[in-house]
Amino acid sequence: MNAAQRRKVILERLTEADAPLSASVLAGELGVSRQIVVGDVALLRASGTQIDATPRGYQLHPAARGYTGILACVHSTTDQMREELYTVVDQGGIVVDVAVENPLYGELRGNLNLASRYDVDHFIRQAADTPECLLSRMTGGVHLHTLSCPTPEAFRRIEAALDAKGLLYKKEE
């Protein structure tokens, strides 16, 4: 198999996958080193394919399907963060990423790709181990989420549910 064929197989596997695939798993399936897969993914990304690198592996960017919107949220506790994320996934949304504004660097963004309570629980456990890494800690809990939703109506439902729970950020007038 040549490099172009290998990249085609990687793209096919990512398209079919229900969960992120690690470079090690892909390398094992293809009979190449992990570094070869990392290079292939870099070339696929450079060619315009939207592939996200998550802590659990590579996946196609979920915002490529359905409706994408951004919400400004705020929370100050882990329980509120869990409630915020559960609210999104329970309504059929995917929390694609989190972003904050930083006075030195501008916008800082982290990929999340949380699509289920299982994903949220895994993220909450990781956050408990490294709470200093949460981007929202830099901004007093204020942050943006890109959401991927099946329809605009689902996005509006999520927005209304977060608003009802007091988890949407509203600039004080």
Side-chain angles (χ1 to χ4, degrees), residues 110-121:
N111 290 330
L112 295 177
N113 298 308
L114 307 174
S116 67
R117 282 185 173 236
Y118 174 85
D119 292 343
V120 171
D121 291 342

Side-chain angles (χ1 to χ4, degrees), residues 75 97-102 107-112 123 130-144:
H75 56 70
D97 60 25
V98 60
V100 296
E101 287 295 322
N102 179 278
E107 184 177 82
L108 297 176
R109 185 174 300 277
N111 290 330
L112 295 177
F123 175 74
T130 56
E132 68 280 359
C133 294
L134 289 171
L135 291 178
S136 61
R137 289 192 119 189
M138 300 170 63
T139 57
V142 177
H143 56 285
L144 301 174

Side-chain angles (χ1 to χ4, degrees), residues 13 16 24 33 42 58 83 85 94 102 104 116 120 123 154-155 163 168:
R13 286 287 288 121
E16 297 165 354
S24 299
S33 71
Y58 295 116
E83 184 175 13
L85 299 172
I94 297 171
N102 179 278
L104 180 60
S116 67
V120 171
F123 175 74
F155 178 81
D163 189 28
L168 284 186

Side-chain angles (χ1 to χ4, degrees), residues 22-140:
S22 72
S24 299
V25 166
L26 290 167
E29 291 177 5
L30 296 167
V32 296
S33 71
R34 180 188 172 286
Q35 194 56 40
I36 295 290
V37 171
V38 170
D40 284 342
V41 169
L43 290 171
L44 287 167
R45 289 167 118 180
S47 71
T49 305
Q50 290 190 309
I51 299 173
D52 292 336
T54 75
R56 295 178 316 259
Y58 295 116
Q59 69 181 27
L60 290 182
H61 191 69
R65 300 182 275 274
Y67 178 83
T68 302
I70 297 175
L71 292 177
C73 298
V74 62
H75 56 70
S76 56
T77 69
T78 300
D79 286 340
Q80 289 174 327
M81 178 171 55
R82 181 182 294 106
E83 184 175 13
E84 170 191 298
L85 299 172
Y86 277 176
T87 299
V88 174
V89 301
D90 288 350
Q91 297 283 336
I94 297 171
V95 184
V96 176
D97 60 25
V98 60
V100 296
E101 287 295 322
N102 179 278
L104 180 60
Y105 297 110
E107 184 177 82
L108 297 176
R109 185 174 300 277
N111 290 330
L112 295 177
N113 298 308
L114 307 174
S116 67
R117 282 185 173 236
Y118 174 85
D119 292 343
V120 171
D121 291 342
H122 181 75
F123 175 74
I124 296 290
R125 282 192 301 276
Q126 286 181 312
D129 292 340
T130 56
E132 68 280 359
C133 294
L134 289 171
L135 291 178
S136 61
R137 289 192 119 189
M138 300 170 63
T139 57

